[in-house]
Amino acid sequence: MKISARNILKGTIVEIVKGATTSHVRIDIGGVVVTASITNEAVADLKLEKGKQAYAVIKASDVMVGID
């Protein structure tokens, strides 16, 4: 896989929660869970399922920082 994104995190799918049109896919990356919001069609096309290895690919132009 060659893509332009710099943040590619390999992990294991721990949960897929399907909504009407969008699914939330939770990927465990070494003890930290990242959640991706993707279409149900993408979940089906990629044959995603709990326990399967997948990559969280993060492409963002901005990173925000917050404090309490």
Side-chain angles (χ1 to χ4, degrees):
M1 171 174 59
K2 279 191 143 185
I3 56 176
S4 64
R6 297 286 183 233
N7 302 299
I8 304 169
L9 309 170
K10 187 175 183 179
T12 303
I13 298 172
V14 293
E15 183 178 37
I16 300 173
V17 178
K18 287 189 178 181
T21 60
T22 305
S23 292
H24 291 140
V25 180
R26 295 171 45 89
I27 302 173
D28 184 322
I29 315 285
V32 175
V33 176
V34 175
T35 302
S37 180
I38 64 174
T39 65
N40 291 337
E41 184 178 1
V43 170
D45 288 347
L46 295 170
K47 297 178 176 66
L48 300 182
E49 58 187 42
K50 185 177 177 179
K52 186 174 182 178
Q53 291 213 329
Y55 295 91
V57 181
I58 301 166
K59 178 81 172 182
S61 58
D62 299 304
V63 176
M64 299 174 68
V65 176
I67 60 170
D68 288 326

